[in-house]
């Protein structure tokens, strides 16, 4: 029987072969710019966020300028994104708190990050691994889906369950790269719709199979 640790070794080898240089696909030129981009990426693609932030930060070139920008103007920039009104309010509160509570610098401490409006567990983890290289294993929609398809988590696990299980299965020095590899694998290969299973080298350990138009679990972990 293939154990989770066996799977972990196979997955790492395949991901290193397939996606050796996987990295963050959000564009940014500052620490606060990255934090805001990650916050904006909720329920939205990185490509859309990159288009919006390029225009936004071309207009408001500093944290101070962004903080002083009218809310209505920020909303106009964020309109292409989902939940843009809430995200505009979050952005304004984030810039204000960064200036008044953190001397204009994005904090590395997780509690400090999560004190910022619109910054939850996943966003704080993404910021920590990207800006500060602190080992975390953020679970986004791709990591969540791929982990369950590969049988590393149960079908009814929530994002926190998946994060805990991945951290137990994989060594901490692999978390940052693996996080990006899981995302790229889910985004470009193991897609939500029409995953490219035919040539996937993980088929032998994959915990699900196709039946009609639905994917269902074949193996109980």
């Amino acid at each position: 029987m293939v154990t989770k640790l066996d799977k972990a070794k196979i997955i790492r080898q395949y991901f290193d072969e397939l996606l050796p240089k996987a990295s963050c696909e959000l564009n940014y030129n500052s620490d606060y710019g990255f934090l805001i981009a990650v916050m904006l990426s909720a329920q939205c693609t990185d490509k859309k966020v990159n288009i919006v932030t390029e225009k936004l930060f071309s207009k408001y070139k500093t944290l101070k300028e962004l903080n002083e920008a009218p809310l209505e103007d920020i909303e106009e920039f964020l309109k292409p994104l989902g939940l843009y009104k809430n995200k505009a309010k979050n952005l304004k509160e984030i810039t204000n708190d960064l200036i008044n509570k953190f001397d204009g610098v994005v904090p590395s401490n997780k509690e400090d990050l999560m004190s910022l409006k619109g910054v939850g567990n996943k966003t704080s983890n993404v910021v920590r691994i990207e800006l500060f290289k602190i080992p975390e294993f953020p679970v986004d929609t791709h990591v969540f889906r791929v982990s369950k398809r590969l049988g590393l988590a149960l079908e009814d696990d929530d994002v926190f369950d998946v994060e805990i299980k991945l951290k137990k299965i994989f060594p901490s020095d692999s978390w940052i790269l693996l996080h990006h590899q899981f995302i790229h694998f889910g985004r470009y290969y193991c897609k939500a719709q029409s995953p490219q299973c035919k040539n996937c080298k993980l088929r032998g350990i994959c915990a699900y199979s196709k039946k009609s138009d639905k994917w269902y679990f074949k193996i109980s972990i």
Side-chain angles (χ1 to χ4, degrees):
M1 179 178 179
V2 179
T3 67
K4 285 186 179 180
L5 291 180
D6 292 332
K7 286 187 176 185
K9 183 177 180 180
I10 294 169
I11 290 166
R12 287 187 67 187
Q13 289 176 340
Y14 182 49
F15 282 0
D16 285 345
E17 173 189 331
L18 185 68
L19 302 159
K21 297 181 179 180
S23 61
C24 180
E25 294 187 317
L26 286 171
N27 299 330
Y28 64 97
N29 294 310
S30 64
D31 61 349
Y32 71 85
F34 181 70
L35 170 61
I36 288 171
V38 179
M39 182 274 291
L40 295 178
S41 69
Q43 300 182 38
C44 186
T45 66
D46 288 358
K47 287 184 179 180
K48 280 189 177 181
V49 173
N50 286 337
I51 293 171
V52 167
T53 54
E54 181 179 3
K55 295 177 181 178
L56 179 69
F57 296 130
S58 292
K59 173 71 174 179
Y60 305 109
K61 300 183 184 299
T62 67
L63 182 61
K64 184 175 183 292
E65 289 180 5
L66 196 58
N67 186 51
E68 293 174 350
L71 177 62
E72 295 76 14
D73 291 355
I74 299 298
E75 288 179 347
E76 282 300 313
F77 278 101
L78 304 191
K79 268 189 175 180
L81 309 179
L83 306 173
Y84 74 93
K85 285 186 176 291
N86 285 335
K87 290 178 178 180
K89 291 178 182 178
N90 291 345
L91 187 154
K92 293 292 291 179
E93 292 199 35
I94 286 173
T95 58
N96 183 70
D97 284 349
L98 287 178
I99 289 172
N100 294 306
K101 295 181 180 179
F102 300 106
D103 298 321
V105 178
V106 174
S108 62
N109 179 272
K110 190 164 184 175
E111 289 185 3
D112 289 339
L113 282 166
M114 292 182 66
S115 74
L116 299 170
K117 190 71 173 179
V119 177
N121 181 65
K122 188 208 77 174
T123 296
S124 66
N125 283 344
V126 172
V127 170
R128 278 160 62 84
I129 71 171
E130 181 68 15
L131 295 183
F132 305 105
K133 308 308 176 188
I134 297 172
E136 295 284 4
F137 211 130
V139 177
D140 76 339
T141 182
H142 300 296
V143 178
F144 191 66
R145 179 177 68 255
V146 171
S147 297
K148 292 187 175 186
R149 286 182 172 180
L150 292 177
L152 301 177
L154 297 174
E155 187 175 9
D156 59 354
D157 282 345
D158 62 23
V159 290
F160 297 102
D161 296 326
V162 173
E163 180 181 338
I164 291 170
K165 289 182 177 181
L166 291 176
K167 285 183 173 180
K168 286 182 178 179
I169 295 167
F170 297 102
S172 60
D173 62 358
S174 71
W175 291 352
I176 294 177
L177 177 58
L178 269 172
H179 159 74
H180 293 305
Q181 290 174 327
F182 266 77
I183 288 177
H184 284 233
F185 186 63
R187 183 175 288 161
Y188 301 113
Y189 299 94
C190 192
K191 303 175 184 179
Q193 302 295 327
S194 302
Q196 299 176 16
C197 301
K198 185 176 180 180
N199 298 315
C200 181
K201 293 183 179 180
L202 299 180
R203 290 182 69 183
I205 62 168
C206 192
Y208 81 132
S209 181
K210 193 172 184 180
K211 183 178 182 180
S212 299
D213 294 326
K214 297 181 179 180
W215 294 93
Y216 67 101
F217 280 85
K218 292 172 59 180
I219 302 173
S220 297
I221 303 300

